[in-house]
Amino acid sequence: MKKHNFSAGPSILAPEVIKNTADAIINFADTGLSVLEVSHRSKEFQAVIDEASLLVKQLLDVPEGYSVLWLGGGASMQFAMVPMNLLRTKAAYLDTGTWAANAIKEARLFGDVEVLASSKEANYTYYPHDYVVPADVDYFHITTNNTIYGTELRKDPDVPVRLVADMSSDIFTRPVDVKKYDLIYGGAQKNIAPAGVTFVIVRDEALGHVDRAIPTMLDYRTHIKKGSMFNTPPVLPIYTALQTLRYYRDLGGVEELERRDNAKAALLYNAIDESKMFEGTVVNPEDRSIMNVCFVMTPEYKELEKDFIDFATARGLVGIKGHRSVGGFRASLYNALPIESVQVLVDTMREFEKKH
Ligand SMILES: *Cc1c(COP(=O)(O)O)cnc(C)c1O
C-alpha cells in the first residue's frame, strides 16, 4: 500500500533524494566505494560539503560575511552553543513552545535571560506578538516554527539587537531576510536530511565578544576556520542534504516551495474549518503553521480520536498522531510531502466524518 508520511521528524524526504542517497551508498561519485566508507577529507566529499554550503547560500540569498556550518548534536546542542558564544550578560527569549523553553533553560546557564512573552498559559496555542525587545540585551532568540504546537512566525522581525532563530522546522519554506539575523540554526531532520546533521548560518562578526573559555568543539569559530571539518562531520546526512538542496534549486527555490507549502496547508486547514468533527488548536489564523497542522476532534466526537487514527492508518497515512503534550492529531506537511498526500488525508477525514 502507498504510504503518506506526515511524521514530524525525522520526516519525509523526496523519492529522488532517497534514490540518489541509496545509489551513493553503493557507489559514491564513481569512486567504487560507498559514501559510508570514504574519507571526509577525500576530494569527492569536499566537493559535496562545498556545494551543499553554496546551495544554502544561494537558496536563502545569504549575504557576504556569513558562514554555513554542518555540525553534530542536533538543534538541542545549539540551545547551549548559542549562549556560550553570544551571551555576555543578558539575552531575551520568546517562550513559544517546548523547544523554546529548552533553549531558555540552557541560556540561563550562561547569564540572565529575560522572557519577553510566553504563550505557555494557553498551552502555546498562539504566537505572542505583543512585546518590546530591550536594546541592552546581547541577542533576542525566537523559534520561528513551533513544531509541536503548530504555530509559526512567517516574517523576520526588526529588532535593535542581534537576532537568533531556531528554524529547524520551517527553513526553506519561504525567503528569509538573512541579514536581519546573526545566527540561524536547525536540526536537518525536518526539511533537509536524515537525522544526524545540524545546519548553522552565522554572521562571522557576531563571534568573539564573550570572555568565557569555550570548549574547542563548541566554539563556532573552530568550525568556520576548518570548514566544518575540525572533526569528522556527519558524512551521510550531509550527502543527503546536498541531494535535497539540489532538488529545491531545481524546483525553483524557496519562492516555489512557499507557493506549494501554502497550497498544501490551505487545503488541510480549509477541510478542518469546514468540518463539524475536527477543529484546529491554533486560535489565530495568522499564527497557524504551514508545516505542522495541529487539530483535534470537537468535544462531542472526542472519544473517536483513536478510531480515526486506526481508520487513517488502514489507508496508508503515517505519523498523524499529535504530540503527547497536545493530543489529537498533527499532520506535518514538510516540503517533500506531495499535495496528493494532503488530499488523501482530507478525503479520509471526510469519509470518517460521513460514517459517524
Ligand atoms: C525538532 C526540533 C528541535 C530539536 O531538534 P534536535 O535536532 O532533535 O535536537 C528543536 N527545535 C525545533 C523547532 C524542532 O522542531
Side-chain angles (χ1 to χ4, degrees), residues 221-269:
R221 291 171 300 177
T222 302
H223 302 290
I224 293 175
K225 200 155 82 197
K226 298 288 186 180
S228 301
M229 296 268 210
F230 170 73
N231 71 324
T232 317
V235 170
L236 181 71
I238 294 171
Y239 184 82
T240 308
L242 172 61
Q243 307 313 308
T244 298
L245 293 163
R246 284 179 177 169
Y247 164 73
Y248 287 172
R249 176 199 58 200
D250 296 347
L251 276 181
V254 286
E255 284 86 359
E256 175 60 17
L257 290 166
E258 181 175 42
R259 194 189 63 73
R260 291 172 183 230
D261 292 334
N262 276 329
K264 287 186 289 180
L267 177 60
L268 182 51
Y269 281 120

Side-chain angles (χ1 to χ4, degrees), residues 2 27 37 63 77 133 155 184 189 205 231 282 336:
K2 177 165 170 45
N27 181 9
E37 58 180 356
M77 175 111 110
V133 180
K155 53 181 186 253
I184 296 170
Q189 69 274 21
E205 182 276 313
N231 71 324
V282 176

Side-chain angles (χ1 to χ4, degrees), residues 8-9 73-77 79 99-100 143-148 166-169 185-190 197-198 292 334:
S76 299
M77 175 111 110
F79 298 162
W99 299 120
T143 311
T144 49
N145 185 65
N146 297 286
T147 321
I148 295 176
D166 176 355
M167 295 197 185
S168 292
S169 49
Y185 66 87
Q189 69 274 21
K190 311 277 163 63
V197 68
T198 311
N292 310 98
Y334 294 123

